[in-house]
Amino acid sequence: MNESLLRTASSLGGAGRLAEAAAIYRQVLQQEPRNYDALHALGVIYFRSGQLREAEQMMAQAAGVNPRAAAAFFDHGCVLMAAGRFEEAQDRFNRAISIRPDFVEARGNRVHALMRLGRHPEALAESEHLVRMRPNLPQAHASRAGALQALNRPQDALASLDRATQLAPAASGLWADRAQALMALGRPAEALASVEQAIKCEPGNGVFPLMRGDLLVMLNRYQEAVAAYDAGLKLRPNVSDAWNRRGIALAQMGRKAEGLESFDKAIRIDPGHSEARNNRANILFGEKRFPEAAREFEQVLRAAPDSPYAAGFLIQSRLRSCDWSNLEKDRERLAAGIAKGERLIDPQGYLSICTNPQSQLHCARIVMQDEGAAVEKGPPSVRHRASATPATSPAGGGGKEAHALDYPSLSTGEETPGATGRRIRIAYLSADFRPHPVAFLIAGVFEHHDRNAFELTGVSLVQAGDSPIRNRIRAAFENFIDAAGRTDDDIAQELSRREIDIAVDLTGFTDGSRPAIMLRRPAPIQVNFLGFPGTMGSREIDYIIADRWLIPETARLFYDEKVVWMPHTYQANDSKREISDRVFTRRDMGLPEDGFVFCCFNNNYKVTPEIFAVWMRLLSQVPDSVLWLLKDNDAAAVNLRREAEARGVDANRLIFAARIAPADHFARQHLGDLFLDTSPYSAHTTGSDALFAGLPVISVYGATFPARVAVSLLHAAGMSELAMDSLDSYEAKALFFAQNREALKAIRSKLARSRDSAPLFNTALFTRHLEAAYRQMITLNRNGAGPQAFAVEAGA
C-alpha cells in the first residue's frame, strides 16, 4: 500500500501540488517512520517551500536511515548551505563524495561551501579536481573561476570562464561571471559586452540590466546607464541599491531633482540605506539647500557613524549656512581625527576651517591614499617618473624607492622637449573650462603662451555647454580633449600617447576633480596650479606653483610637492577682464547714499565668528555704516542677521547682494568703500576682482596657503600697506579708513594708478614667468636631478 501512496505523492509533487504530496508522505511516515523515500521526499518539499528547519530534520533522518545514500547527504548539505551553516554543509558533501567519488554536484557544492568559509586554496584544489574529472562540464570551469577570483587571480579566472562560455554559450550566469572577472582586470568595456551577452541569453533576468547600468556608470555613459537601470527595475522594482545607483547616474547628468527622487525610492525600500541618504545629502548640499543637507548628514551618521567624509559635509553644511553653533567642537574633532588618519572631511572643505598647514597636509594625504588604493586595483597604466632619484620626506627622512625613468631621454636632440627640436608639450587638466573663477583667471595665460616653444592641450574633465569663456579657452588650445565621458585610465593613456611633457592640474580637490588621473602618472612632470590652494598630498605631483607670500621657506615641509616660487604672485590674471558699462547706483543696490559701505564678496562659508565679530565692532564704531555681503543662500543671510542682532547691531545694516554676471559685478563694486577680507580662507578671485575694479581690500596674514592669497595679491598690486599682520591691526586699519575719507580717497587713487603698472594684472609678464618655470622643470628632468624647489627670477 505504501508503494502506491509513494507513487501518488511523487506524481503530485512533480505536478507542483506540494501540499497534497506532503500530506501523503506524512501519512506514509505515520505507518512507517523510517521510510527513507518518504523522509527524503518530504525533506525536499520542505526545502522547496522555504521551511529549512523541517527540511533539515527530514534530511538528517533520511541519512540516518540509509547511511549509504549519497543523495541524502548531498541534499542535507544543500539545506545546510541555505541555512548558512557552511561548515556542516561541506561535511555532508564530503560524506556524499566518500560514498560516490564521481558525485559531480556534491563536489561543485563543496567548492561553494569552502568558498563561503574563506578556504579558497582548498576550494581551488577541489574545483581543479572537478575539471580533471569532467573537462567538458561548464560548471566545473565556473567553480574554478570563482576560486581564482577569490584568490585575486582574475586573469586565470577569465581563462576558465572563457572555456566555460565556449562549452555553454547560452548560460547567462557564466557571461555575468566573465564580466566580473573583466571588471577586476579593469576592462569595463569588455565587461559590458559580456553582460550584454548575458542579457541576450536571458532577457527576463532583471539582475543583468542592473549590472549593465553599473558598468555604464564606470564608463561615464550616464544616460545609457539610467536606461539600463530602468530596464532592470521594471523586472526587479524593489532593489534599493539599483535605485541608489540610478540616482548617482542622474546626478552626474545634472538631473538633480530626478536623482533625489531615485534616492528617496531607495530609502523607502530600505530606510537604513545610509549610502542613498549620503547621496541625497550630497545633492542637497550641491543645490545649496544646506539646512536640509545637514539634517540628512546627521541621519547618515546616526546610521553609519564611520561613513567616510560625512562628518565633514555635515560641518560644511552648517558652515555654508553660517550656523556656528557647534563650530569650535567641530574644529577640535576634525583636527584630532585627521591627525589619526580618519576620513572625516575633503581637503577643499577643510580649508575654511583649518588654520594649521600640517593638518591640511594630512587631510590631503588621507584622500590621496583612498584615490591611490583605487588606482592600484585598476589596470596597469602608464607610469612616467619625473626623475630616477629617490624622494625624501618633508621631515628629511628616507623616502620611497624611486622607479626607473620611464620616459625617452631628454638629451637626445630632436626629440628633447625645450631643446632645438620639438616644442614642450603642456596639458592643462580642468573641470572649470566654463563660467568659473579659474577660467576667468587663466584664459589670458593660454592666449599668451609662446606657440613657437609650447604646444598646448586642454583637457576638460566635466560636461559643460557652450559659453563665451569656454569657447575662448577652447580656441586658445591647439588640442582640446572633452574628457567628461572617459575613464581616468583612458585619459591618462591618452596623455601618454600624446607624449605630454608637463601635465598641469588646475582643479586639485575642487568640484569635478579627478586626482586619480595624475596618480596614474600620464606625464613625467606633474604640476598643481591655481585651482586648489594647498598641497595635493602626493609625491606623484612634482611641483606646486606658489610665491614667497603664500609658502615661505619655513613652510615647505607642509607640501609634498616641490615649491616653485613665482616672482610676484602665483595667481594668473586676465588683463582682458570686461567691466560692464552698466551704471549702478547705491539706491539700486539698497545701499545708503552717504553712509560708509564695508563690503565682502567672498563666499559666505568663509565668514567665521572671529572675523564677523570684528566686522560688527566696526559697524558699531562707524555710524550709518553698512556691511555689503554676497548672498549665497537664504539660510546664511538669516543666520548672519541673527548673529548681528546678538552682537547688538541692527540686522538691517547687513545688505546682501545677489549674484550677477561677472562684468556687471565688476561695475557695481565701485559702490563699496572698503573690502574686508576673511580669514583663514581669504579672498582669491574675489580679491583680484575687487582690486581690478578699484576697490581697496584689507587682508590679514594667516598660517596657511588659502589664508595668505589676498596678501599675495596686495603685494603684487603694489598695495602692501593693506596687508596686516594681525586681526587687531586689520580692525584698526579698517576703522582708520572709515573715519578718514581723504586717506581712503588717496588709497583708491593709488590702486587705480597701479592697475595698469603693477604685475598683478600683467598677463603677458605672468605667462613669461610661468613658461620660465616650465623650462626649468624640463631642464631638471633632462639632467636627472628630479623635482627641486626653485624660484623664478623677475627678469626671466
Side-chain angles (χ1 to χ4, degrees):
M1 177 180 175
N2 283 342
E3 290 298 324
S4 175
L5 289 173
L6 288 171
R7 284 194 296 271
T8 300
S10 178
S11 297
L12 290 168
R17 295 161 65 180
L18 301 183
E20 296 170 70
I24 294 175
Y25 286 130
R26 282 191 287 268
Q27 181 183 343
V28 170
L29 289 171
Q30 285 176 351
Q31 300 174 16
E32 191 180 347
R34 291 176 56 80
N35 186 296
Y36 168 80
D37 292 328
L39 289 166
H40 183 243
L42 187 56
V44 171
I45 289 175
Y46 283 140
F47 181 64
R48 291 172 64 186
S49 302
Q51 297 171 266
L52 296 183
R53 173 185 279 185
E54 292 82 357
E56 197 271 331
Q57 291 174 349
M58 291 297 105
M59 293 302 183
Q61 289 183 48
V65 168
N66 186 356
R68 297 302 301 166
F73 287 104
F74 172 76
D75 288 338
H76 192 191
C78 292
V79 173
L80 291 166
M81 281 278 286
R85 294 159 62 182
F86 304 115
E87 189 69 56
E88 298 169 79
Q90 70 95 22
D91 176 72
R92 298 305 184 273
F93 296 138
N94 286 345
R95 292 285 300 274
I97 293 166
S98 68
I99 298 167
R100 269 182 53 195
D102 63 345
F103 199 154
V104 170
E105 292 81 4
R107 288 189 178 275
N109 277 12
R110 183 173 184 269
V111 172
H112 296 156
L114 290 167
M115 291 280 290
R116 297 300 296 269
L117 290 166
R119 292 158 59 179
H120 303 133
E122 293 175 71
L124 177 60
E126 182 66 58
S127 65
E128 288 182 333
H129 182 76
L130 190 57
V131 168
R132 288 192 294 273
M133 286 178 59
R134 297 282 296 276
N136 292 324
L137 181 68
Q139 293 86 346
H141 295 279
S143 293
R144 180 175 183 271
L148 288 165
Q149 279 277 69
L151 291 166
N152 197 27
R153 292 169 58 184
Q155 190 66 55
D156 293 332
L158 180 62
S160 279
L161 288 164
D162 284 343
R163 179 59 180 151
T165 53
Q166 288 172 358
L167 292 167
S172 59
L174 296 178
W175 289 105
D177 289 345
R178 185 175 185 273
Q180 296 285 357
L182 287 163
M183 287 172 66
L185 289 166
R187 292 155 62 179
E190 295 171 76
L192 178 63
S194 208
V195 168
E196 288 172 345
Q197 187 63 40
I199 293 171
K200 290 179 183 177
C201 294
E202 192 179 354
N205 189 321
V207 171
F208 302 143
L210 300 180
M211 288 181 66
R212 183 171 181 266
D214 293 345
L215 285 161
L216 288 164
V217 167
M218 289 177 64
L219 293 165
N220 299 326
R221 292 161 58 180
Y222 302 115
Q223 187 166 344
E224 295 171 79
V226 171
Y229 288 130
D230 287 344
L233 287 165
K234 283 182 180 178
L235 298 167
R236 304 186 72 202
N238 293 319
V239 180
S240 59
D241 282 344
W243 285 106
N244 175 53
R245 295 193 295 270
R246 180 180 183 271
I248 293 170
L250 287 162
Q252 290 290 344
M253 294 167 63
R255 293 161 59 181
K256 304 296 179 62
E258 294 171 82
L260 284 174
E261 291 174 3
S262 206
F263 295 135
D264 288 342
K265 180 70 173 179
I267 293 166
R268 282 197 295 273
I269 295 169
D270 178 9
H273 202 304
S274 59
E275 185 181 340
R277 285 198 179 277
N278 190 65
N279 290 330
R280 188 179 191 280
N282 278 314
I283 287 188
L284 293 169
F285 184 91
E287 295 292 288
K288 298 189 177 183
R289 294 161 61 179
F290 298 119
E292 294 174 75
R295 289 192 291 271
E296 201 70 55
F297 282 123
E298 286 171 351
Q299 291 196 55
V300 169
L301 289 166
R302 277 197 290 270
D306 296 328
S307 182
Y309 308 109
F313 277 106
L314 169 58
I315 293 167
Q316 288 183 71
S317 297
R318 293 175 181 150
L319 196 59
R320 286 177 185 250
S321 58
C322 296
D323 174 2
W324 304 325
S325 56
N326 206 47
L327 182 57
E328 196 53 45
K329 290 181 179 178
D330 288 340
R331 287 169 172 164
E332 293 172 2
R333 178 189 177 192
L334 289 175
I338 287 169
K340 292 186 289 187
E342 296 176 5
R343 299 148 77 198
L344 293 177
I345 191 168
D346 68 286
Q348 175 66 20
Y350 198 37
L351 298 181
S352 58
I353 301 169
C354 178
T355 59
N356 184 324
Q358 185 171 40
S359 191
Q360 289 182 354
L361 170 63
H362 290 163
C363 181
R365 284 177 173 172
I366 290 167
V367 172
M368 287 302 254
Q369 286 168 4
D370 277 358
E371 294 282 346
V375 171
E376 289 300 320
K377 292 178 182 177
S381 185
V382 61
R383 298 293 294 173
H384 291 305
R385 292 297 299 173
S387 76
T389 59
T392 56
S393 69
K400 62 185 179 184
E401 183 180 353
H403 297 275
L405 185 66
D406 182 21
Y407 194 74
S409 170
L410 294 177
S411 59
T412 58
E414 290 188 351
E415 289 304 312
T416 301
T420 58
R422 71 167 175 83
R423 296 173 294 165
I424 296 173
R425 293 171 181 164
I426 310 289
Y428 288 98
L429 290 75
S430 180
D432 301 320
F433 293 152
R434 55 193 172 91
H436 184 277
V438 169
F440 296 129
L441 289 174
I442 201 169
V445 171
F446 299 149
E447 293 168 339
H448 279 82
H449 264 306
D450 179 357
R451 298 308 176 84
N452 293 318
F454 296 89
E455 179 184 335
L456 302 186
T457 296
V459 183
S460 180
L461 299 177
V462 299
Q463 291 179 332
D466 282 343
S467 62
I469 190 65
R470 181 174 176 84
N471 294 337
R472 180 184 167 193
I473 287 173
R474 187 165 193 155
F477 286 112
E478 292 177 67
N479 314 298
F480 193 84
I481 302 171
D482 191 342
R486 299 172 66 172
T487 65
D488 294 340
D489 193 65
D490 187 25
I491 298 167
Q493 295 285 359
E494 174 76 11
L495 297 179
S496 177
R497 285 192 296 271
R498 290 174 180 260
E499 297 185 348
I500 296 299
D501 301 307
I502 303 176
V504 183
D505 186 346
L506 295 173
T507 301
F509 293 114
T510 60
D511 288 347
S513 64
R514 296 172 67 175
I517 297 171
M518 301 294 265
L519 290 179
R520 287 170 163 81
R521 256 303 166 173
I525 300 170
Q526 305 197 143
V527 181
N528 169 16
F529 174 42
L530 192 61
F532 177 71
T535 182
M536 292 290 290
S538 170
R539 293 298 177 79
E540 297 296 348
I541 316 298
D542 304 302
Y543 295 100
I544 182 171
I545 304 294
D547 57 58
R548 294 288 186 183
W549 303 109
L550 294 175
I551 307 178
E553 186 74 32
T554 55
R556 286 171 56 185
L557 72 163
F558 303 123
Y559 297 81
D560 277 336
E561 306 90 338
K562 300 301 181 184
V563 182
V564 176
W565 290 287
M566 299 290 276
H568 302 296
T569 180
Y570 91 110
Q571 192 186 80
N573 270 282
D574 182 15
S575 56
K576 296 181 182 178
R577 292 181 194 218
E578 179 187 352
I579 298 182
S580 168
D581 57 5
R582 284 183 62 184
V583 177
F584 292 92
T585 68
R586 284 194 167 188
R587 178 176 294 180
D588 294 334
M589 297 292 104
L591 300 171
E593 292 291 341
D594 299 318
F596 194 89
V597 177
F598 295 106
C599 59
C600 180
F601 298 120
N602 291 350
N603 281 308
N604 295 161
Y605 66 83
K606 294 184 179 183
V607 182
T608 61
E610 296 81 5
I611 206 76
F612 191 75
V614 173
W615 295 352
M616 294 303 99
R617 287 197 295 271
L618 288 169
L619 291 183
S620 296
Q621 296 175 80
V622 181
D624 301 322
S625 63
V626 297
L627 179 61
W628 193 20
L629 299 170
L630 178 74
K631 185 175 183 181
D632 185 62
N633 61 88
D634 290 337
V638 168
N639 285 330
L640 287 173
R641 287 191 168 115
R642 177 177 50 78
E643 292 288 344
E645 294 280 1
R647 289 165 174 80
V649 175
D650 184 350
N652 292 321
R653 294 175 71 184
L654 272 60
I655 313 297
F656 288 89
R659 292 184 184 273
I660 58 176
D664 290 337
H665 179 56
F666 277 126
R668 72 179 174 183
Q669 290 195 58
H670 78 279
L671 301 175
D673 288 310
L674 188 64
F675 188 115
L676 300 176
D677 196 15
T678 50
S679 184
Y681 201 155
S682 69
H684 293 193
T685 308
T686 50
S688 52
D689 284 352
L691 294 170
F692 190 79
L695 177 61
V697 176
I698 293 184
S699 190
V700 61
Y701 288 88
T704 64
F705 189 129
R708 299 168 71 93
V709 169
V711 167
S712 166
L713 301 177
L714 288 168
H715 282 278
M719 306 298 293
S720 57
E721 63 266 45
L722 299 180
M724 314 312 295
D725 60 5
S726 69
L727 277 182
D728 287 342
S729 59
Y730 165 100
E731 182 176 347
K733 180 69 79 170
L735 183 60
F736 169 77
F737 283 126
Q739 294 175 340
N740 295 272
R741 293 299 185 104
E742 287 302 314
L744 180 63
K745 182 179 178 181
I747 206 73
R748 290 182 74 114
S749 296
K750 180 182 177 182
L751 177 58
R753 292 192 303 271
S754 71
R755 192 178 78 177
D756 295 329
S757 59
L760 181 60
F761 300 112
N762 191 331
T763 310
L765 178 66
F766 181 90
T767 307
R768 287 201 301 273
H769 291 151
L770 185 62
E771 290 176 346
Y774 291 156
R775 288 189 176 96
Q776 179 66 8
M777 295 172 193
I778 291 288
T779 298
L780 289 168
N781 184 274
R782 181 171 65 236
N783 294 338
Q788 302 289 324
F790 64 87
V792 176
E793 298 301 324

